[in-house]
Coordinates of all heavy atoms in Angstrom, one line a residue:
R23 N -14.7 -11.1 -15.0 CA -14.4 -10.5 -16.3 C -14.9 -9.1 -16.4 O -14.8 -8.4 -17.5 CB -15.0 -11.3 -17.5 CG -14.4 -12.7 -17.6 CD -15.0 -13.5 -18.7 NE -14.4 -14.8 -18.9 CZ -13.3 -15.1 -19.6 NH1 -12.7 -14.0 -20.2 NH2 -12.8 -16.2 -19.7
E24 N -15.5 -8.6 -15.3 CA -16.2 -7.3 -15.4 C -15.1 -6.2 -15.5 O -14.0 -6.3 -15.1 CB -17.1 -7.1 -14.1 CG -16.3 -6.9 -12.8 CD -16.0 -8.3 -12.2 OE1 -16.2 -9.3 -12.8 OE2 -15.5 -8.3 -11.1
T25 N -15.5 -5.1 -16.1 CA -14.7 -3.9 -16.2 C -15.1 -2.8 -15.2 O -14.4 -1.8 -15.0 CB -14.7 -3.3 -17.6 OG1 -16.1 -2.9 -17.9 CG2 -14.2 -4.3 -18.6
R26 N -16.3 -3.0 -14.6 CA -16.8 -2.1 -13.5 C -17.3 -3.0 -12.4 O -18.0 -3.9 -12.6 CB -17.9 -1.2 -14.1 CG -18.3 -0.1 -13.2 CD -19.3 0.8 -13.8 NE -19.7 1.9 -12.9 CZ -18.9 3.0 -12.8 NH1 -17.9 3.2 -13.5 NH2 -19.3 4.0 -11.9
A27 N -16.9 -2.6 -11.2 CA -17.3 -3.5 -10.0 C -17.3 -2.7 -8.7 O -16.6 -1.6 -8.6 CB -16.4 -4.7 -10.0
R28 N -17.9 -3.3 -7.7 CA -17.8 -2.8 -6.4 C -16.8 -3.6 -5.6 O -16.3 -3.1 -4.6 CB -19.2 -2.8 -5.7 CG -19.3 -2.3 -4.3 CD -20.6 -2.6 -3.6 NE -20.5 -2.5 -2.2 CZ -21.3 -3.0 -1.3 NH1 -22.3 -3.8 -1.8 NH2 -21.1 -2.9 0.0
S29 N -16.7 -4.8 -6.0 CA -15.7 -5.7 -5.2 C -14.6 -6.2 -6.2 O -14.8 -6.5 -7.4 CB -16.4 -7.0 -4.7 OG -17.4 -6.6 -3.8
F30 N -13.4 -6.2 -5.7 CA -12.2 -6.6 -6.6 C -11.1 -6.9 -5.6 O -11.2 -6.8 -4.4 CB -11.8 -5.4 -7.5 CG -11.7 -4.1 -6.9 CD1 -10.4 -3.7 -6.3 CD2 -12.8 -3.2 -6.8 CE1 -10.3 -2.5 -5.7 CE2 -12.6 -2.0 -6.1 CZ -11.4 -1.6 -5.6
L31 N -9.9 -7.3 -6.2 CA -8.8 -7.5 -5.4 C -7.8 -6.4 -5.5 O -7.7 -5.7 -6.6 CB -8.1 -8.8 -5.8 CG -8.9 -10.1 -5.6 CD1 -8.1 -11.3 -6.2 CD2 -9.3 -10.4 -4.2
L32 N -7.0 -6.1 -4.5 CA -5.9 -5.1 -4.5 C -4.6 -5.9 -4.4 O -4.4 -6.6 -3.5 CB -6.1 -4.1 -3.5 CG -5.2 -2.8 -3.6 CD1 -5.7 -2.0 -4.8 CD2 -5.2 -2.0 -2.3
L33 N -3.7 -5.6 -5.3 CA -2.4 -6.3 -5.3 C -1.3 -5.3 -5.1 O -1.4 -4.1 -5.4 CB -2.2 -7.0 -6.7 CG -3.3 -7.8 -7.3 CD1 -2.8 -8.5 -8.5 CD2 -3.7 -8.9 -6.3
E34 N -0.1 -5.8 -4.6 CA 1.0 -4.9 -4.4 C 1.6 -4.6 -5.7 O 2.0 -3.4 -5.9 CB 2.1 -5.7 -3.6 CG 3.3 -4.9 -3.3 CD 4.3 -5.6 -2.5 OE1 4.2 -6.9 -2.2 OE2 5.4 -5.0 -2.2
F35 N 1.6 -5.5 -6.7 CA 2.1 -5.3 -8.0 C 1.1 -5.9 -9.0 O 0.5 -6.9 -8.7 CB 3.5 -5.9 -8.2 CG 4.6 -5.2 -7.4 CD1 4.9 -5.8 -6.2 CD2 5.2 -4.1 -7.7 CE1 5.9 -5.3 -5.3 CE2 6.1 -3.5 -7.0 CZ 6.5 -4.1 -5.8
P36 N 0.9 -5.3 -10.2 CA 0.0 -5.8 -11.2 C 0.5 -7.2 -11.7 O 1.7 -7.4 -11.7 CB -0.1 -4.7 -12.3 CG 1.2 -4.0 -12.2 CD 1.6 -4.1 -10.7
V37 N -0.4 -8.0 -12.3 CA -0.1 -9.2 -12.9 C -0.6 -9.2 -14.4 O -1.6 -8.5 -14.7 CB -0.7 -10.4 -12.2 CG1 -0.2 -10.5 -10.8 CG2 -2.2 -10.4 -12.3
G38 N 0.1 -9.9 -15.2 CA -0.3 -10.0 -16.6 C -1.3 -11.1 -16.8 O -2.3 -11.0 -17.5
C39 N -1.0 -12.3 -16.3 CA -1.8 -13.5 -16.4 C -2.0 -14.0 -15.0 O -1.1 -14.4 -14.3 CB -1.1 -14.5 -17.3 SG -1.9 -16.1 -17.3
W40 N -3.3 -14.0 -14.6 CA -3.7 -14.5 -13.2 C -3.3 -15.9 -13.0 O -2.8 -16.3 -11.9 CB -5.1 -14.3 -13.0 CG -5.5 -14.6 -11.6 CD1 -6.2 -15.7 -11.1 CD2 -5.3 -13.8 -10.4 NE1 -6.4 -15.6 -9.8 CE2 -5.8 -14.5 -9.3 CE3 -4.6 -12.6 -10.2 CZ2 -5.7 -14.0 -8.0 CZ3 -4.5 -12.1 -8.9 CH2 -5.1 -12.8 -7.8
F41 N -3.4 -16.8 -14.0 CA -3.1 -18.2 -13.8 C -1.6 -18.4 -13.7 O -1.1 -19.3 -13.0 CB -3.6 -19.0 -15.0 CG -5.1 -19.0 -15.0 CD1 -5.8 -18.1 -15.8 CD2 -5.9 -19.9 -14.3 CE1 -7.2 -18.1 -15.9 CE2 -7.3 -19.9 -14.4 CZ -7.9 -19.0 -15.1
C42 N -0.8 -17.6 -14.4 CA 0.7 -17.8 -14.5 C 1.4 -17.0 -13.4 O 2.5 -17.3 -13.1 CB 1.2 -17.4 -15.8 SG 0.5 -18.2 -17.2
E43 N 0.8 -15.9 -12.9 CA 1.5 -15.0 -12.1 C 0.7 -14.7 -10.7 O 0.8 -13.7 -10.2 CB 1.8 -13.7 -12.8 CG 2.5 -13.8 -14.1 CD 2.6 -12.5 -14.8 OE1 2.8 -11.4 -14.2 OE2 2.4 -12.5 -16.0
T44 N 0.0 -15.7 -10.3 CA -0.8 -15.5 -9.0 C 0.1 -15.1 -7.9 O 1.0 -15.8 -7.5 CB -1.6 -16.7 -8.7 OG1 -2.3 -17.2 -9.8 CG2 -2.5 -16.5 -7.6
P45 N -0.2 -14.0 -7.2 CA 0.5 -13.6 -6.0 C 0.4 -14.6 -4.8 O -0.6 -15.3 -4.8 CB 0.0 -12.2 -5.7 CG -0.8 -11.8 -6.8 CD -1.3 -13.0 -7.5
E46 N 1.3 -14.5 -3.9 CA 1.1 -15.3 -2.7 C 0.0 -14.7 -1.9 O -0.4 -13.5 -2.1 CB 2.4 -15.3 -1.8 CG 3.0 -14.0 -1.5 CD 4.0 -13.5 -2.5 OE1 3.9 -13.9 -3.7 OE2 5.0 -12.9 -2.1
P47 N -0.7 -15.4 -0.9 CA -1.8 -14.9 -0.2 C -1.6 -13.6 0.6 O -2.5 -12.8 0.7 CB -2.1 -16.0 0.8 CG -1.5 -17.2 0.2 CD -0.3 -16.8 -0.6
T48 N -0.3 -13.3 1.0 CA -0.1 -12.1 1.7 C 0.1 -10.9 0.8 O 0.3 -9.8 1.2 CB 1.2 -12.3 2.5 OG1 2.3 -12.6 1.7 CG2 1.0 -13.3 3.6
G49 N 0.0 -11.2 -0.6 CA 0.2 -10.1 -1.5 C -1.0 -9.6 -2.2 O -1.0 -9.0 -3.3
L50 N -2.2 -9.9 -1.6 CA -3.4 -9.4 -2.1 C -4.4 -9.1 -1.0 O -4.4 -9.7 0.0 CB -4.0 -10.4 -3.2 CG -4.1 -11.8 -2.8 CD1 -5.4 -12.1 -2.1 CD2 -4.0 -12.7 -4.1
V51 N -5.4 -8.2 -1.3 CA -6.4 -7.8 -0.3 C -7.8 -7.8 -1.1 O -7.9 -7.2 -2.1 CB -6.1 -6.4 0.3 CG1 -7.3 -6.0 1.2 CG2 -4.8 -6.5 1.1
S52 N -8.8 -8.4 -0.4 CA -10.1 -8.4 -1.0 C -10.8 -7.0 -0.6 O -10.8 -6.7 0.6 CB -10.9 -9.5 -0.5 OG -12.3 -9.5 -0.9
V53 N -11.3 -6.3 -1.6 CA -11.8 -5.0 -1.4 C -13.4 -5.0 -1.7 O -13.8 -5.4 -2.7 CB -11.1 -3.9 -2.3 CG1 -11.8 -2.6 -2.1 CG2 -9.6 -3.9 -2.0

């Protein structure tokens, strides 16, 4: 829930609801 972080995910396209619109595994990168 943080708004500032050193680690996050990078997505090809943004999502509105993570539970409803989770990308496939190849569509995200851990940063």
